[in-house]
């Protein structure tokens, strides 16, 4: 998959640099517009918004394809963070080497949200051999649901081992997100 910049009024390197500033840093559309104007490159903040809407999902798909494989041993945790002025639960998992597997934002901390996170992560990376969690009952219940579905589908060889070993989750605790606030 390649990005198609045909029909755009700006070169691809300008568009990609503007997208990088927006996606990598906490900058508004208007701040990026101003930064480029200082370099005598003029576009409207609404143009940048259209670029983000068009190209950000395509970039994510490209980057996910190029991302290296993750280990079969996952460490999973969730925390409460402030995102754009609203408190949300941030579910995340890393492999045993610290590579980020996936994340999920939810308004609730319950089995449904944990199951949605695991479904998303498993769809992207396949079934893990084992998952280390904290003592959250919701996470354990979600993994039990995944294992029950595997068992009912006849995939008893691929059951996920669930561990609750606090010190093994330290690697996830150290991968805290930067919250806005």
């Amino acid at each position: 998959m390649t990005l198609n910049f045909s029909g755009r009024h700006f070169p691809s390197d300008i568009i990609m640099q503007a997208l990088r500033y927006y996606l990598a840093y906490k900058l508004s559309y208007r701040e990026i517009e101003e930064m480029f104007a200082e370099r005598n490159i003029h576009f409207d903040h609404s143009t940048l918004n259209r670029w983000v809407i068009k190209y950000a999902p395509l970039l994510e798909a490209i980057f996910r394809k190029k991302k290296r494989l993750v280990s079969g041993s996952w460490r999973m945790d969730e925390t409460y963070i402030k995102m754009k002025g609203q408190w949300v639960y941030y579910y995340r998992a890393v492999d045993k080497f610290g590579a980020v597997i996936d994340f999920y934002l939810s308004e609730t901390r319950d089995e449904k949200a944990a199951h949605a996170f695991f479904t998303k992560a498993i769809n992207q990376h396949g079934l893990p051999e084992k998952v280390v969690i904290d003592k959250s009952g919701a996470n354990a219940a979600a993994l039990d649901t995944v294992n029950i579905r595997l068992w009912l589908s006849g995939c008893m060889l691929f059951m996920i081992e669930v561990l609750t070993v606090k010190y093994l989750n330290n690697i996830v605790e150290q991968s805290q997100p930067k919250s806005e606030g």
Side-chain angles (χ1 to χ4, degrees), residues 2 4 6 15 19 26 30 42-43 45 54 66 70 72 75 86 90 97 111 117-118 124 138 153 176 178 180-181:
T2 60
N4 182 2
S6 64
I15 295 171
L19 287 169
K26 292 182 178 182
R30 290 181 191 270
H42 300 279
F43 56 80
H45 60 276
K54 179 172 178 69
K66 292 185 179 196
V70 297
R75 278 82 164 128
Q86 181 181 356
Y90 174 68
F97 303 112
E111 181 183 351
F117 166 75
F118 284 118
Q124 283 291 324
S153 68
Q176 293 291 328
K178 295 178 183 176
E180 179 182 311

Side-chain angles (χ1 to χ4, degrees), residues 51-106:
W51 292 344
V52 169
I53 291 168
K54 179 172 178 69
Y55 295 114
L58 299 172
L59 287 169
E60 180 186 13
I62 290 168
F63 295 150
R64 282 203 184 269
K65 283 183 182 177
K66 292 185 179 196
K67 188 176 181 204
R68 71 175 180 84
L69 296 177
V70 297
S71 163
S73 179
W74 296 4
R75 278 82 164 128
M76 184 269 180
D77 197 15
E78 76 285 330
T79 189
Y80 204 49
I81 64 169
K82 196 171 192 176
M83 196 77 147
K84 294 187 178 181
Q86 181 181 356
W87 286 96
V88 294
Y89 288 97
Y90 174 68
Y91 288 81
R92 67 206 180 281
V94 298
D95 69 7
K96 66 181 178 182
F97 303 112
V100 175
I101 294 169
D102 217 329
F103 70 92
Y104 180 75
L105 298 174
S106 173

Side-chain angles (χ1 to χ4, degrees), residues 123-134:
N123 285 342
Q124 283 291 324
H125 302 284
L127 284 171
E129 297 165 16
K130 62 183 163 186
V131 177
V132 179
I133 59 173
D134 56 11

Side-chain angles (χ1 to χ4, degrees), residues 11-52:
S12 61
D13 57 334
I14 301 268
I15 295 171
M16 290 298 290
Q17 186 69 49
L19 287 169
R20 182 179 187 284
Y21 286 163
Y22 181 75
L23 297 172
Y25 306 108
K26 292 182 178 182
L27 298 172
S28 71
Y29 293 141
R30 290 181 191 270
E31 289 169 333
I32 296 169
E33 174 187 8
E34 185 178 316
M35 288 170 58
F36 277 85
E38 290 172 356
R39 294 172 180 89
N40 207 23
I41 302 168
H42 300 279
F43 56 80
D44 193 62
H45 60 276
S46 61
T47 300
L48 177 56
N49 174 258
R50 287 191 296 277
W51 292 344
V52 169

